[in-house]
mmCIF file of all heavy atoms in Angstrom:
data_model
loop_
_atom_site.group_PDB
_atom_site.id
_atom_site.type_symbol
_atom_site.label_atom_id
_atom_site.label_comp_id
_atom_site.label_asym_id
_atom_site.label_seq_id
_atom_site.Cartn_x
_atom_site.Cartn_y
_atom_site.Cartn_z
ATOM 1 N N ILE A 34 -10.768 -0.031 5.966
ATOM 2 C CA ILE A 34 -9.958 -1.220 5.686
ATOM 3 C C ILE A 34 -10.320 -2.400 6.603
ATOM 4 O O ILE A 34 -10.224 -3.604 6.205
ATOM 5 C CB ILE A 34 -8.464 -0.958 5.649
ATOM 6 C CG1 ILE A 34 -7.646 -1.994 4.995
ATOM 7 C CG2 ILE A 34 -7.927 -0.674 7.126
ATOM 8 C CD1 ILE A 34 -7.989 -2.259 3.588
ATOM 9 N N LEU A 45 -12.152 -15.243 1.520
ATOM 10 C CA LEU A 45 -11.030 -16.136 1.481
ATOM 11 C C LEU A 45 -11.209 -17.493 2.243
ATOM 12 O O LEU A 45 -11.004 -18.442 1.669
ATOM 13 C CB LEU A 45 -9.820 -15.304 1.998
ATOM 14 C CG LEU A 45 -8.524 -16.079 1.994
ATOM 15 C CD1 LEU A 45 -7.575 -15.604 0.935
ATOM 16 C CD2 LEU A 45 -7.848 -16.103 3.297
ATOM 17 N N PHE A 92 -3.708 -8.193 7.991
ATOM 18 C CA PHE A 92 -3.031 -8.093 6.736
ATOM 19 C C PHE A 92 -3.701 -7.015 5.825
ATOM 20 O O PHE A 92 -2.985 -6.395 5.069
ATOM 21 C CB PHE A 92 -3.059 -9.481 5.952
ATOM 22 C CG PHE A 92 -1.945 -10.327 6.260
ATOM 23 C CD1 PHE A 92 -2.031 -11.392 7.065
ATOM 24 C CD2 PHE A 92 -0.731 -10.089 5.631
ATOM 25 C CE1 PHE A 92 -1.000 -12.208 7.313
ATOM 26 C CE2 PHE A 92 0.395 -10.928 5.817
ATOM 27 C CZ PHE A 92 0.291 -11.968 6.792
ATOM 28 N N SER A 93 -4.932 -6.689 6.063
ATOM 29 C CA SER A 93 -5.636 -5.741 5.291
ATOM 30 C C SER A 93 -4.941 -4.380 5.479
ATOM 31 O O SER A 93 -4.976 -3.497 4.539
ATOM 32 C CB SER A 93 -7.071 -5.749 5.479
ATOM 33 O OG SER A 93 -7.409 -5.146 6.804
ATOM 34 N N LEU A 94 -4.421 -4.170 6.584
ATOM 35 C CA LEU A 94 -3.676 -2.964 6.966
ATOM 36 C C LEU A 94 -2.536 -2.671 6.004
ATOM 37 O O LEU A 94 -2.252 -1.602 5.590
ATOM 38 C CB LEU A 94 -3.253 -2.865 8.451
ATOM 39 C CG LEU A 94 -4.362 -2.835 9.508
ATOM 40 C CD1 LEU A 94 -3.925 -3.010 10.892
ATOM 41 C CD2 LEU A 94 -5.205 -1.558 9.335
ATOM 42 N N ALA A 95 -1.784 -3.754 5.753
ATOM 43 C CA ALA A 95 -0.686 -3.626 4.814
ATOM 44 C C ALA A 95 -1.183 -3.257 3.388
ATOM 45 O O ALA A 95 -0.538 -2.582 2.657
ATOM 46 C CB ALA A 95 0.119 -4.998 4.797
ATOM 47 N N TYR A 96 -2.312 -3.908 2.945
ATOM 48 C CA TYR A 96 -2.878 -3.524 1.695
ATOM 49 C C TYR A 96 -3.225 -2.104 1.709
ATOM 50 O O TYR A 96 -3.014 -1.384 0.689
ATOM 51 C CB TYR A 96 -4.126 -4.486 1.418
ATOM 52 C CG TYR A 96 -3.833 -5.707 1.012
ATOM 53 C CD1 TYR A 96 -3.235 -6.805 1.746
ATOM 54 C CD2 TYR A 96 -4.242 -6.113 -0.338
ATOM 55 C CE1 TYR A 96 -2.964 -8.111 1.324
ATOM 56 C CE2 TYR A 96 -3.982 -7.429 -0.769
ATOM 57 C CZ TYR A 96 -3.363 -8.274 -0.058
ATOM 58 O OH TYR A 96 -3.194 -9.599 -0.500
ATOM 59 N N ALA A 97 -3.936 -1.605 2.848
ATOM 60 C CA ALA A 97 -4.282 -0.226 2.842
ATOM 61 C C ALA A 97 -3.069 0.792 2.713
ATOM 62 O O ALA A 97 -3.123 1.853 2.073
ATOM 63 C CB ALA A 97 -5.155 0.094 4.011
ATOM 64 N N ALA A 98 -1.988 0.371 3.428
ATOM 65 C CA ALA A 98 -0.780 1.169 3.264
ATOM 66 C C ALA A 98 -0.271 1.194 1.912
ATOM 67 O O ALA A 98 0.183 2.253 1.399
ATOM 68 C CB ALA A 98 0.276 0.572 4.257
ATOM 69 N N ALA A 99 -0.398 0.122 1.221
ATOM 70 C CA ALA A 99 0.180 0.063 -0.182
ATOM 71 C C ALA A 99 -0.822 0.921 -1.028
ATOM 72 O O ALA A 99 -0.319 1.706 -1.898
ATOM 73 C CB ALA A 99 0.213 -1.366 -0.666
ATOM 74 N N PHE A 100 -2.118 0.771 -0.815
ATOM 75 C CA PHE A 100 -3.049 1.593 -1.647
ATOM 76 C C PHE A 100 -2.844 3.065 -1.369
ATOM 77 O O PHE A 100 -2.855 3.856 -2.316
ATOM 78 C CB PHE A 100 -4.556 1.285 -1.258
ATOM 79 C CG PHE A 100 -4.958 -0.130 -1.620
ATOM 80 C CD1 PHE A 100 -5.851 -0.897 -0.807
ATOM 81 C CD2 PHE A 100 -4.523 -0.681 -2.763
ATOM 82 C CE1 PHE A 100 -6.336 -2.196 -1.084
ATOM 83 C CE2 PHE A 100 -4.930 -2.104 -3.118
ATOM 84 C CZ PHE A 100 -5.785 -2.731 -2.264
ATOM 85 N N LEU A 103 0.292 4.205 -3.229
ATOM 86 C CA LEU A 103 0.077 4.330 -4.673
ATOM 87 C C LEU A 103 -0.956 5.428 -4.994
ATOM 88 O O LEU A 103 -1.063 5.749 -6.127
ATOM 89 C CB LEU A 103 -0.277 3.024 -5.165
ATOM 90 C CG LEU A 103 0.652 1.884 -5.014
ATOM 91 C CD1 LEU A 103 0.107 0.584 -5.453
ATOM 92 C CD2 LEU A 103 1.889 2.198 -5.943
ATOM 93 N N ARG A 105 -4.295 5.080 -4.962
ATOM 94 C CA ARG A 105 -5.450 4.476 -5.592
ATOM 95 C C ARG A 105 -5.609 3.096 -5.097
ATOM 96 O O ARG A 105 -4.770 2.423 -4.666
ATOM 97 C CB ARG A 105 -5.380 4.418 -7.105
ATOM 98 C CG ARG A 105 -4.156 3.653 -7.624
ATOM 99 C CD ARG A 105 -4.009 3.873 -9.115
ATOM 100 N NE ARG A 105 -2.957 3.146 -9.665
ATOM 101 C CZ ARG A 105 -3.034 2.177 -10.486
ATOM 102 N NH1 ARG A 105 -4.222 1.835 -11.009
ATOM 103 N NH2 ARG A 105 -2.021 1.541 -10.887
ATOM 104 N N ALA A 106 -6.905 2.755 -4.962
ATOM 105 C CA ALA A 106 -7.316 1.435 -4.625
ATOM 106 C C ALA A 106 -8.393 0.861 -5.567
ATOM 107 O O ALA A 106 -9.438 1.593 -5.613
ATOM 108 C CB ALA A 106 -7.897 1.435 -3.232
ATOM 109 N N THR A 107 -7.933 -0.122 -6.366
ATOM 110 C CA THR A 107 -8.958 -0.649 -7.325
ATOM 111 C C THR A 107 -8.961 -2.146 -7.213
ATOM 112 O O THR A 107 -8.117 -2.778 -6.607
ATOM 113 C CB THR A 107 -8.513 -0.352 -8.778
ATOM 114 O OG1 THR A 107 -7.186 -1.089 -9.018
ATOM 115 C CG2 THR A 107 -8.260 1.137 -9.084
ATOM 116 N N VAL A 108 -10.098 -2.687 -7.812
ATOM 117 C CA VAL A 108 -10.233 -4.169 -7.786
ATOM 118 C C VAL A 108 -9.037 -4.912 -8.354
ATOM 119 O O VAL A 108 -8.512 -5.890 -7.855
ATOM 120 C CB VAL A 108 -11.470 -4.627 -8.511
ATOM 121 C CG1 VAL A 108 -11.595 -6.098 -8.697
ATOM 122 C CG2 VAL A 108 -12.713 -4.044 -7.678
ATOM 123 N N LEU A 109 -8.554 -4.358 -9.566
ATOM 124 C CA LEU A 109 -7.415 -5.056 -10.252
ATOM 125 C C LEU A 109 -6.157 -5.002 -9.480
ATOM 126 O O LEU A 109 -5.355 -5.845 -9.334
ATOM 127 C CB LEU A 109 -7.346 -4.316 -11.618
ATOM 128 C CG LEU A 109 -6.389 -5.153 -12.629
ATOM 129 C CD1 LEU A 109 -6.831 -6.508 -12.856
ATOM 130 C CD2 LEU A 109 -6.340 -4.379 -13.897
ATOM 131 N N LEU A 110 -5.807 -3.731 -8.974
ATOM 132 C CA LEU A 110 -4.688 -3.592 -8.196
ATOM 133 C C LEU A 110 -4.749 -4.418 -6.981
ATOM 134 O O LEU A 110 -3.695 -5.102 -6.504
ATOM 135 C CB LEU A 110 -4.510 -2.093 -7.590
ATOM 136 C CG LEU A 110 -3.349 -1.670 -6.888
ATOM 137 C CD1 LEU A 110 -2.122 -1.913 -7.639
ATOM 138 C CD2 LEU A 110 -3.465 -0.248 -6.438
ATOM 139 N N GLY A 111 -5.907 -4.566 -6.280
ATOM 140 C CA GLY A 111 -6.003 -5.445 -5.109
ATOM 141 C C GLY A 111 -5.851 -6.921 -5.463
ATOM 142 O O GLY A 111 -5.056 -7.751 -4.738
ATOM 143 N N ALA A 112 -6.418 -7.333 -6.624
ATOM 144 C CA ALA A 112 -6.301 -8.699 -7.071
ATOM 145 C C ALA A 112 -4.771 -8.991 -7.279
ATOM 146 O O ALA A 112 -4.248 -10.145 -6.948
ATOM 147 C CB ALA A 112 -7.123 -9.016 -8.226
ATOM 148 N N GLY A 113 -4.051 -8.137 -7.930
ATOM 149 C CA GLY A 113 -2.697 -8.204 -8.170
ATOM 150 C C GLY A 113 -1.859 -8.443 -6.948
ATOM 151 O O GLY A 113 -1.020 -9.307 -6.770
ATOM 152 N N ALA A 114 -2.102 -7.575 -5.796
ATOM 153 C CA ALA A 114 -1.555 -7.712 -4.629
ATOM 154 C C ALA A 114 -1.900 -8.982 -3.961
ATOM 155 O O ALA A 114 -1.083 -9.601 -3.242
ATOM 156 C CB ALA A 114 -1.929 -6.512 -3.751
ATOM 157 N N GLY A 115 -3.124 -9.514 -4.179
ATOM 158 C CA GLY A 115 -3.480 -10.732 -3.569
ATOM 159 C C GLY A 115 -2.776 -11.883 -4.195
ATOM 160 O O GLY A 115 -2.313 -12.791 -3.556
ATOM 161 N N VAL A 116 -2.382 -11.914 -5.478
ATOM 162 C CA VAL A 116 -1.597 -12.886 -6.204
ATOM 163 C C VAL A 116 -0.246 -12.867 -5.566
ATOM 164 O O VAL A 116 0.342 -14.064 -5.314
ATOM 165 C CB VAL A 116 -1.651 -12.669 -7.679
ATOM 166 C CG1 VAL A 116 -0.648 -13.664 -8.426
ATOM 167 C CG2 VAL A 116 -3.065 -12.993 -8.252
ATOM 168 N N VAL A 117 0.342 -11.748 -5.405
ATOM 169 C CA VAL A 117 1.685 -11.617 -4.920
ATOM 170 C C VAL A 117 1.653 -12.259 -3.466
ATOM 171 O O VAL A 117 2.544 -12.970 -3.054
ATOM 172 C CB VAL A 117 2.170 -10.196 -4.955
ATOM 173 C CG1 VAL A 117 3.508 -9.965 -4.144
ATOM 174 C CG2 VAL A 117 2.379 -9.630 -6.219
ATOM 175 N N HIS A 118 0.691 -11.840 -2.636
ATOM 176 C CA HIS A 118 0.526 -12.340 -1.264
ATOM 177 C C HIS A 118 0.513 -13.810 -1.212
ATOM 178 O O HIS A 118 1.143 -14.570 -0.600
ATOM 179 C CB HIS A 118 -0.791 -11.698 -0.735
ATOM 180 C CG HIS A 118 -1.163 -12.036 0.602
ATOM 181 N ND1 HIS A 118 -2.122 -11.536 1.287
ATOM 182 C CD2 HIS A 118 -0.502 -12.952 1.548
ATOM 183 C CE1 HIS A 118 -2.212 -12.040 2.474
ATOM 184 N NE2 HIS A 118 -1.285 -12.900 2.744
ATOM 185 N N ALA A 119 -0.410 -14.440 -2.170
ATOM 186 C CA ALA A 119 -0.478 -15.930 -2.345
ATOM 187 C C ALA A 119 0.825 -16.544 -2.549
ATOM 188 O O ALA A 119 1.214 -17.621 -2.073
ATOM 189 C CB ALA A 119 -1.639 -16.231 -3.336
ATOM 190 N N LEU A 120 1.582 -15.952 -3.632
ATOM 191 C CA LEU A 120 2.829 -16.547 -4.087
ATOM 192 C C LEU A 120 3.846 -16.517 -2.927
ATOM 193 O O LEU A 120 4.622 -17.440 -2.750
ATOM 194 C CB LEU A 120 3.387 -15.831 -5.299
ATOM 195 C CG LEU A 120 2.515 -16.021 -6.612
ATOM 196 C CD1 LEU A 120 3.041 -15.201 -7.603
ATOM 197 C CD2 LEU A 120 2.480 -17.417 -6.908
ATOM 198 N N PHE A 121 3.696 -15.521 -2.062
ATOM 199 C CA PHE A 121 4.610 -15.488 -0.927
ATOM 200 C C PHE A 121 4.266 -16.469 0.148
ATOM 201 O O PHE A 121 5.116 -17.149 0.683
ATOM 202 C CB PHE A 121 4.646 -14.061 -0.221
ATOM 203 C CG PHE A 121 5.544 -13.940 0.950
ATOM 204 C CD1 PHE A 121 6.884 -13.709 0.791
ATOM 205 C CD2 PHE A 121 5.002 -13.972 2.234
ATOM 206 C CE1 PHE A 121 7.836 -13.631 1.888
ATOM 207 C CE2 PHE A 121 5.816 -14.021 3.280
ATOM 208 C CZ PHE A 121 7.099 -13.688 3.216
ATOM 209 N N VAL A 122 3.019 -16.633 0.344
ATOM 210 C CA VAL A 122 2.585 -17.670 1.256
ATOM 211 C C VAL A 122 3.026 -19.040 0.783
ATOM 212 O O VAL A 122 3.480 -19.894 1.526
ATOM 213 C CB VAL A 122 0.931 -17.592 1.435
ATOM 214 C CG1 VAL A 122 0.511 -18.823 2.118
ATOM 215 C CG2 VAL A 122 0.752 -16.310 2.133
ATOM 216 N N THR A 168 -5.226 -21.490 -3.664
ATOM 217 C CA THR A 168 -4.772 -20.407 -2.846
ATOM 218 C C THR A 168 -4.510 -19.127 -3.593
ATOM 219 O O THR A 168 -4.808 -18.051 -2.948
ATOM 220 C CB THR A 168 -3.352 -20.924 -2.228
ATOM 221 O OG1 THR A 168 -3.561 -22.183 -1.469
ATOM 222 C CG2 THR A 168 -2.814 -19.943 -1.327
ATOM 223 N N ILE A 169 -4.122 -19.146 -4.741
ATOM 224 C CA ILE A 169 -3.900 -17.928 -5.514
ATOM 225 C C ILE A 169 -5.259 -17.441 -5.935
ATOM 226 O O ILE A 169 -5.435 -16.010 -5.747
ATOM 227 C CB ILE A 169 -3.137 -18.247 -6.912
ATOM 228 C CG1 ILE A 169 -1.640 -18.744 -6.541
ATOM 229 C CG2 ILE A 169 -3.199 -17.136 -7.871
ATOM 230 C CD1 ILE A 169 -0.917 -19.159 -7.706
ATOM 231 N N LEU A 170 -6.278 -18.096 -6.296
ATOM 232 C CA LEU A 170 -7.591 -17.603 -6.587
ATOM 233 C C LEU A 170 -8.214 -16.937 -5.340
ATOM 234 O O LEU A 170 -8.810 -15.914 -5.384
ATOM 235 C CB LEU A 170 -8.452 -18.693 -7.206
ATOM 236 C CG LEU A 170 -8.073 -19.105 -8.641
ATOM 237 C CD1 LEU A 170 -8.977 -20.228 -8.984
ATOM 238 C CD2 LEU A 170 -8.071 -18.055 -9.602
ATOM 239 N N ALA A 171 -8.120 -17.716 -4.217
ATOM 240 C CA ALA A 171 -8.710 -17.102 -2.973
ATOM 241 C C ALA A 171 -8.018 -15.786 -2.571
ATOM 242 O O ALA A 171 -8.739 -14.837 -2.085
ATOM 243 C CB ALA A 171 -8.633 -18.085 -1.881
ATOM 244 N N HIS A 172 -6.636 -15.720 -2.611
ATOM 245 C CA HIS A 172 -5.988 -14.435 -2.204
ATOM 246 C C HIS A 172 -6.273 -13.255 -3.320
ATOM 247 O O HIS A 172 -6.342 -12.208 -2.872
ATOM 248 C CB HIS A 172 -4.554 -14.725 -1.967
ATOM 249 C CG HIS A 172 -4.169 -15.401 -0.718
ATOM 250 N ND1 HIS A 172 -4.420 -16.775 -0.565
ATOM 251 C CD2 HIS A 172 -3.839 -14.977 0.334
ATOM 252 C CE1 HIS A 172 -4.053 -17.019 0.615
ATOM 253 N NE2 HIS A 172 -3.625 -15.923 1.278
ATOM 254 N N ALA A 173 -6.385 -13.837 -4.526
ATOM 255 C CA ALA A 173 -6.828 -12.782 -5.553
ATOM 256 C C ALA A 173 -8.114 -12.199 -5.177
ATOM 257 O O ALA A 173 -8.336 -10.917 -5.332
ATOM 258 C CB ALA A 173 -6.778 -13.358 -6.967
ATOM 259 N N ALA A 174 -9.099 -12.946 -4.844
ATOM 260 C CA ALA A 174 -10.415 -12.537 -4.370
ATOM 261 C C ALA A 174 -10.335 -11.659 -3.221
ATOM 262 O O ALA A 174 -10.910 -10.623 -3.118
ATOM 263 C CB ALA A 174 -11.374 -13.709 -4.217
ATOM 264 N N TYR A 175 -9.479 -12.064 -2.250
ATOM 265 C CA TYR A 175 -9.290 -11.242 -1.044
ATOM 266 C C TYR A 175 -8.794 -9.884 -1.386
ATOM 267 O O TYR A 175 -9.383 -8.804 -0.922
ATOM 268 C CB TYR A 175 -8.228 -11.978 -0.151
ATOM 269 C CG TYR A 175 -7.776 -11.163 0.998
ATOM 270 C CD1 TYR A 175 -8.484 -11.214 2.324
ATOM 271 C CD2 TYR A 175 -6.498 -10.531 1.050
ATOM 272 C CE1 TYR A 175 -7.976 -10.549 3.361
ATOM 273 C CE2 TYR A 175 -6.056 -9.899 2.094
ATOM 274 C CZ TYR A 175 -6.741 -9.834 3.317
ATOM 275 O OH TYR A 175 -6.367 -9.199 4.410
ATOM 276 N N GLY A 176 -7.764 -9.760 -2.134
ATOM 277 C CA GLY A 176 -7.236 -8.468 -2.569
ATOM 278 C C GLY A 176 -8.118 -7.584 -3.423
ATOM 279 O O GLY A 176 -8.225 -6.472 -3.247
ATOM 280 N N ALA A 177 -8.908 -8.247 -4.297
ATOM 281 C CA ALA A 177 -9.939 -7.623 -5.099
ATOM 282 C C ALA A 177 -10.982 -6.958 -4.281
ATOM 283 O O ALA A 177 -11.409 -5.815 -4.573
ATOM 284 C CB ALA A 177 -10.489 -8.512 -6.196
ATOM 285 N N ILE A 178 -11.382 -7.666 -3.291
ATOM 286 C CA ILE A 178 -12.481 -7.127 -2.356
ATOM 287 C C ILE A 178 -11.880 -5.857 -1.653
ATOM 288 O O ILE A 178 -12.445 -4.904 -1.399
ATOM 289 C CB ILE A 178 -12.929 -8.300 -1.383
ATOM 290 C CG1 ILE A 178 -13.738 -9.230 -2.171
ATOM 291 C CG2 ILE A 178 -13.714 -7.577 -0.291
ATOM 292 C CD1 ILE A 178 -14.079 -10.465 -1.423
ATOM 293 N N LEU A 179 -10.655 -6.100 -1.175
ATOM 294 C CA LEU A 179 -10.072 -4.976 -0.430
ATOM 295 C C LEU A 179 -9.917 -3.724 -1.407
ATOM 296 O O LEU A 179 -10.266 -2.549 -0.985
ATOM 297 C CB LEU A 179 -8.672 -5.379 0.170
ATOM 298 C CG LEU A 179 -8.612 -6.366 1.179
ATOM 299 C CD1 LEU A 179 -7.183 -6.689 1.557
ATOM 300 C CD2 LEU A 179 -9.373 -5.827 2.410
ATOM 301 N N GLY A 180 -9.451 -4.020 -2.621
ATOM 302 C CA GLY A 180 -9.379 -2.832 -3.515
ATOM 303 C C GLY A 180 -10.562 -2.185 -3.872
ATOM 304 O O GLY A 180 -10.685 -1.043 -4.185
ATOM 305 N N GLY A 181 -11.572 -3.044 -4.010
ATOM 306 C CA GLY A 181 -12.901 -2.447 -4.406
ATOM 307 C C GLY A 181 -13.663 -1.840 -3.302
ATOM 308 O O GLY A 181 -14.475 -0.897 -3.536
#
Side-chain angles (χ1 to χ4, degrees):
I34 196 60
L45 173 110
F92 270 103
S93 70
L94 295 171
Y96 279 70
F100 294 146
L103 295 171
R105 61 190 177 117
T107 65
V108 170
L109 191 58
L110 182 60
V116 169
V117 171
H118 181 176
L120 292 174
F121 181 79
V122 167
T168 302
I169 290 169
L170 292 176
H172 282 80
Y175 171 84
I178 292 169
L179 292 178

